[in-house]
Amino acid sequence: MLTRNNLRLTLEGGRAILAAAEKKAHEIKVPMNIAVVDEGGHLLVFARMDGVKLSSIEVALTKAMSAALRRTPSGPSPASGEPSVVLSLGLSLATAGKLTAIRGGLPLVKDGQCVGAIGVSGGSEDEDVQVAQAGVDALAKFS
Protein backbone atom coordinates (compact mmCIF):
# COMPACT_ATOMS: atom_id res chain seq x y z
CA MET A 1 0.00 0.00 0.00
CA LEU A 2 1.45 3.36 -1.03
CA THR A 3 -1.16 5.66 0.47
CA ARG A 4 -3.52 5.73 3.44
CA ASN A 5 -6.64 7.54 4.48
CA ASN A 6 -6.11 10.12 7.19
CA LEU A 7 -8.70 11.69 9.41
CA ARG A 8 -8.70 15.48 9.30
CA LEU A 9 -9.80 17.91 11.98
CA THR A 10 -12.42 20.24 10.50
CA LEU A 11 -12.98 23.88 11.31
CA GLU A 12 -16.22 22.87 13.05
CA GLY A 13 -14.29 20.32 15.12
CA GLY A 14 -11.64 22.89 15.99
CA ARG A 15 -14.31 25.33 17.10
CA ALA A 16 -16.00 22.70 19.31
CA ILE A 17 -12.66 21.85 20.96
CA LEU A 18 -11.92 25.54 21.46
CA ALA A 19 -15.37 26.19 22.96
CA ALA A 20 -14.95 23.36 25.48
CA ALA A 21 -11.53 24.62 26.52
CA GLU A 22 -12.76 28.20 26.79
CA LYS A 23 -15.70 27.04 28.93
CA LYS A 24 -13.26 25.29 31.30
CA ALA A 25 -11.10 28.42 31.52
CA HIS A 26 -14.20 30.43 32.50
CA GLU A 27 -15.12 27.80 35.12
CA ILE A 28 -11.71 28.02 36.79
CA LYS A 29 -11.71 31.81 36.35
CA VAL A 30 -8.38 32.00 34.53
CA PRO A 31 -8.23 33.84 31.18
CA MET A 32 -6.32 31.85 28.58
CA ASN A 33 -4.89 31.92 25.09
CA ILE A 34 -6.09 28.75 23.35
CA ALA A 35 -4.75 27.45 20.05
CA VAL A 36 -6.03 24.46 18.07
CA VAL A 37 -3.80 23.26 15.23
CA ASP A 38 -4.05 20.54 12.60
CA GLU A 39 -1.84 17.43 12.53
CA GLY A 40 0.99 19.41 10.91
CA GLY A 41 0.95 22.10 13.58
CA HIS A 42 -0.81 24.72 11.43
CA LEU A 43 -3.26 27.02 13.19
CA LEU A 44 -6.92 26.14 12.77
CA VAL A 45 -8.62 28.29 15.46
CA PHE A 46 -7.41 30.60 18.22
CA ALA A 47 -8.97 32.52 21.10
CA ARG A 48 -7.46 35.22 23.27
CA MET A 49 -9.69 35.66 26.28
CA ASP A 50 -10.16 39.09 27.81
CA GLY A 51 -7.55 39.83 30.46
CA VAL A 52 -5.04 37.15 29.44
CA LYS A 53 -1.34 37.93 29.36
CA LEU A 54 -0.34 38.96 25.84
CA SER A 55 3.06 37.34 26.32
CA SER A 56 1.41 33.92 26.39
CA ILE A 57 -0.02 34.09 22.85
CA GLU A 58 3.11 32.63 21.24
CA VAL A 59 3.48 30.17 24.11
CA ALA A 60 0.01 28.70 23.43
CA LEU A 61 0.80 28.41 19.72
CA THR A 62 4.15 26.74 20.43
CA LYS A 63 2.60 24.29 22.89
CA ALA A 64 0.00 23.27 20.29
CA MET A 65 2.62 22.92 17.54
CA SER A 66 4.89 20.91 19.83
CA ALA A 67 2.11 18.47 20.78
CA ALA A 68 1.06 18.04 17.14
CA LEU A 69 4.56 17.50 15.75
CA ARG A 70 5.72 15.13 18.50
CA ARG A 71 2.32 13.42 18.89
CA THR A 72 2.82 13.68 22.66
CA PRO A 73 1.98 16.26 25.34
CA SER A 74 4.30 19.24 25.42
CA GLY A 75 6.64 19.29 28.35
CA PRO A 76 10.08 18.29 29.52
CA SER A 77 11.88 15.44 27.77
CA PRO A 78 11.77 12.61 28.47
CA ALA A 79 8.16 12.77 29.66
CA SER A 80 8.67 9.85 32.05
CA GLY A 81 11.40 9.60 34.61
CA GLU A 82 13.86 12.38 35.36
CA PRO A 83 13.55 15.14 32.73
CA SER A 84 16.78 16.25 31.07
CA VAL A 85 17.22 20.03 31.01
CA VAL A 86 19.79 19.72 28.23
CA LEU A 87 17.51 17.54 26.08
CA SER A 88 14.45 19.71 26.74
CA LEU A 89 16.25 22.94 25.81
CA GLY A 90 18.13 21.24 22.98
CA LEU A 91 14.87 20.15 21.30
CA SER A 92 13.64 23.73 21.39
CA LEU A 93 16.88 25.12 20.00
CA ALA A 94 17.22 22.44 17.32
CA THR A 95 13.70 23.11 16.03
CA ALA A 96 13.87 26.91 16.05
CA GLY A 97 11.46 27.04 18.99
CA LYS A 98 8.79 24.76 17.47
CA LEU A 99 9.05 22.34 20.40
CA THR A 100 8.74 23.36 24.03
CA ALA A 101 9.46 21.90 27.44
CA ILE A 102 6.48 23.79 28.91
CA ARG A 103 3.36 21.75 29.70
CA GLY A 104 -0.02 22.79 28.31
CA GLY A 105 -0.07 21.28 24.82
CA LEU A 106 -1.95 18.03 24.19
CA PRO A 107 -2.32 16.00 21.00
CA LEU A 108 -5.83 15.46 19.64
CA VAL A 109 -6.24 11.78 18.77
CA LYS A 110 -9.20 10.19 17.02
CA ASP A 111 -9.34 6.49 16.15
CA GLY A 112 -5.63 6.16 16.92
CA GLN A 113 -4.61 8.99 14.58
CA CYS A 114 -3.28 12.37 15.64
CA VAL A 115 -5.58 14.91 13.98
CA GLY A 116 -4.10 17.97 15.64
CA ALA A 117 -3.34 19.45 19.02
CA ILE A 118 -4.45 22.06 21.51
CA GLY A 119 -2.12 24.48 23.26
CA VAL A 120 -3.14 26.61 26.22
CA SER A 121 -1.27 29.36 28.05
CA GLY A 122 -2.18 32.02 30.56
CA GLY A 123 -2.34 30.21 33.89
CA SER A 124 -0.05 27.86 35.75
CA GLU A 125 1.11 24.79 33.85
CA ASP A 126 -1.45 22.68 35.76
CA GLU A 127 -4.25 25.11 34.86
CA ASP A 128 -3.13 25.15 31.23
CA VAL A 129 -3.19 21.34 31.08
CA GLN A 130 -6.61 21.26 32.76
CA VAL A 131 -8.06 23.59 30.11
CA ALA A 132 -6.35 21.72 27.26
CA GLN A 133 -7.74 18.44 28.61
CA ALA A 134 -11.27 19.87 28.35
CA GLY A 135 -10.63 20.32 24.63
CA VAL A 136 -9.31 16.77 24.29
CA ASP A 137 -12.37 15.47 26.15
CA ALA A 138 -14.67 17.37 23.77
CA LEU A 139 -13.12 15.61 20.77
CA ALA A 140 -13.65 12.24 22.44
CA LYS A 141 -17.41 12.92 22.67
CA PHE A 142 -17.79 13.19 18.88
CA SER A 143 -18.20 10.04 16.80
Side-chain angles (χ1 to χ4, degrees):
M1 180 191 282
L2 299 178
T3 63
R4 65 178 175 186
N5 293 328
N6 287 331
L7 296 174
R8 300 274 188 225
L9 185 61
T10 64
L11 179 58
E12 180 182 357
R15 286 178 175 157
I17 291 163
L18 179 70
E22 190 175 352
K23 179 180 178 193
K24 184 57 145 181
H26 281 294
E27 287 173 7
I28 65 171
K29 297 178 174 53
V30 179
M32 299 281 189
N33 286 300
I34 305 165
V36 177
V37 299
D38 67 14
E39 74 280 1
H42 304 285
L43 185 62
L44 189 59
V45 292
F46 183 86
R48 184 180 85 197
M49 296 174 67
D50 293 338
V52 70
K53 295 176 277 189
L54 296 178
S55 60
S56 66
I57 292 170
E58 288 297 323
V59 177
L61 293 165
T62 302
K63 288 177 180 183
M65 182 183 297
S66 184
L69 295 178
R70 295 194 67 215
R71 308 304 202 240
T72 61
S74 66
S77 293
S80 61
E82 187 65 32
S84 166
V85 173
V86 172
L87 179 58
S88 293
L89 293 175
L91 284 172
S92 182
L93 291 171
T95 61
K98 292 179 182 161
L99 301 182
T100 183
I102 305 169
R103 293 184 308 121
L106 297 175
L108 296 166
V109 179
K110 191 70 175 168
D111 298 334
Q113 291 184 41
C114 180
V115 296
I118 182 170
V120 178
S121 187
S124 68
E125 282 184 280
D126 288 339
E127 290 167 333
D128 294 351
V129 170
Q130 186 179 4
V131 170
Q133 186 62 51
V136 170
D137 294 345
L139 177 63
K141 292 177 186 175
F142 293 101
S143 55

